[in-house]
Amino acid sequence: MAVTRRALTAGVLCAAMALPFGLGLNEAGAAPAPTVTSSQSDASRPAVMGTVSEDSGLSVSINSLSPQIITDENELVISGTVRNDSPTTLANISLEVFVANETPISVPALTTALSDDEPDATHAASSSLTDVARGATTSFEIRIPTSSLPLTDAEEWGPRVTTVTATSGEYSGKDRSIIVWDSGAQVSASRVSTVIPWTSTSATQDQGERSAVLSLASASGVTLAVDPLLIPRGPQPTATPTPSTSPSTSPSTSPSTDAGQSGSDPAQSGQSDAESGQSDAPTASPSASPTPTPAPTATDPAQRARDLQSEAFVAALLSNATEIIALPEGDADLGALSLSGNTGFWDRASRSMADFPDTLRKAGWVAPANSPASPSPSASATPSPSGTPDATPTPSASTSTAGQSATTTSSPDSGPSILRNVAWPADTTFGTSFLSGFSSSNQITIAPVGALTPAEDVPFTSYARVNVDPATGETSTDGTGARTLAQQSDIAALLSWNASGGDELDAEQALTAITAIITRERPASSRTIFAAAQRGTVINERLTGRTKALFSPRWVSAMSFSEMAASEPTDVDRQTVEAGVLEADTETAISAMASSLTMLTPLANATDDADAVYASVTPQILPALAAQLTPSEQLDAATAVTSQVTTMLSAVTVEPSSAVNLINKSANFPVLVRNNLPWPVRVNVTLVPDDPRLRATPAQSQTLAAQGATTVEVPVGAIGSGDIEVTYKVTTPDGVVLDDSQTVTVRMRAGWEDAITAVIASLFGLLFLAGITRSLRKRAARKAQAASSDADTTDITTETETATTKETP
């Protein structure tokens, strides 16, 4: 198949971006992935590959076929290995090659040929190995002239089972693979489309996975279904369309709301197309786009390096991909949300699909066009469907730097078409109950493997698109009904098989063989073939090899998902679709998380940032309902969410206290309340006594400091004496109890207050009287002393005068 210019461009981008894309999910703004993981099913061998032959001392593996599709080559080269598992060294091991004489006419016939111990085959070549030690593995290469192969009838083109046997005495072993012959017969190519899921439940985000994601994004016929949690977000704020520029959408009132549209305010939806739920690539215009504003540069070198890697990855993904299916956050099971009737969770899933970023600007790696830091767009710029100016530069305009990684882009507002109208429910929740709410003409549902198989055996593969009457579950042939895509189960299983070694070759050849068989069924009538890899499929280089093998034959025409969804519907009756089942554990998980959020509401409203409170919990809700998880795993994940809410609700507590003595009739009772939340919380604090002799007045709207303890004084009044038990009660302003587990013993002695006052007053009175008496006594003593002093003075004066008189002549 000819290599397209887009594929070449993608290859150049991938080669140029040899950065280690090993960024963790919690870096660069991406939300952390849930810790619950589901067991991988890709290790099991698909049933289409038949049974594995039992070895007896020798293990054979065919690892390479050249060419993998035989056309006019003169030689077929088969390479592989033989391992000696016998207990001794083998001097000679004989190798024989057999090629089946007939081409399987159906996929089950291919499976039978891969399992047949005695196939109808032609001996094509022989070879040998010598002196193979015990436990040793020896390579072999067998060259076979194509003239020796039973490839003569041009109408018998297609797959042939090839067997390599190894024998040495009593020891033997063999391996089978598939060669494919293209005789050049005229056929109408089968139209093939595949979906590869990339979800946070099983993603590793290492270098190999990211490189494989970029390769798959650029591959024709491959559409990535991406969990938005895996798109690293930049440091720039992302602009949301205003109501005047965004399409008009009405709030969702039931789970049957279009999953491709936001179920809330259209200003928050980011929806590009209200009817199709699909964002079309912007149309080129002669006006120049605004120059992207670089993202802020991180000061930490390690963080800056991670930011550069993330931006480069997002730029490459949005550049390589033509279409991306937007999954809900965490790949939540839309079928379970629909069956549960939880409109809140359904709306959240719908918004996450609607907000899937399709440009670097919307991913936060370029400043919003209407931000102060960004130059004003020219008057000629036309608004994009999302309401953001969207235009391409004039031919003379040079490339501009987007963000901080020196990634060049002609426009930060151009990107792939994001398909927001696709639902992929889990196997058990798929059914008429879901389809009845997801049956608009623009919506498409991916049916599980095994569903929608023909009601009766038909000798050909019918079209992939099936219209289902949601009321009856029967196939609709009048063009009405819910659009669904039925999967080719064998191709889906092979895409999901993380095969290695010789199995890797077998998987690739089997994919080629199946498409050849389907094309041969009706060579003049093109078939549509659709398959989706299972959730949890390992995205690596081997998967890219399998997809290349699927689309490489000339009888395969790669088809985009949108083209497949719009293709002609089948007129072959399919098995009746049942209603779908919501497992008990899943239902319990949804109701438990919903109840927890209801319980969290009063606490959130008691803070100044209710959104931040919810944001600490709600990002884990949808990932807990991932379609990849089993019901029991969903319940475990939901329990982790409810436990987190329970912890938050118990974060406001009263510190325990020893007994308190209360001797006053009224007082301010101190209560020490601890708040372990990272936000200040407004609470009411009061006391609940078990005796009416103590009355408390609630302390209203007290603000508790974040991550600390605050003393709140509660006014109380006491009557009489006695020991009573008092319960501390802390509530939100709207009356929801946060803590009432602590009690304290209060020893009331309110009668003592009057007695003590009287005693103190009496003491003060006695002291006053004593003081007065003492003062009077002191004053009398001073008067007596003064009188005595005057008398003594008079006597002395008299005596002096008398003596003087006697001495005078």
Side-chain angles (χ1 to χ4, degrees), residues 193-197 423-427 430 445-454 461-466 484-496 518 528-535 537 561 564 574:
S193 179
T194 61
V195 167
I196 304 296
W424 189 0
D427 293 0
F430 170 79
T445 301
I446 298 175
V449 171
L452 299 177
T453 57
T461 299
S462 52
Y463 294 134
R465 177 182 161 186
V466 182
T484 60
L485 290 180
Q487 298 193 49
Q488 211 292 332
S489 58
D490 297 310
I491 293 179
L494 288 167
L495 288 175
S496 308
I518 293 174
T528 53
I529 304 172
F530 173 76
Q534 297 176 10
R535 289 175 166 97
T537 296
F561 185 88
M564 181 63 69
R574 304 300 180 98

Side-chain angles (χ1 to χ4, degrees), residues 158 229 343 456 520 615:
L229 295 180
T343 57
E456 298 180 358
R520 290 181 69 243

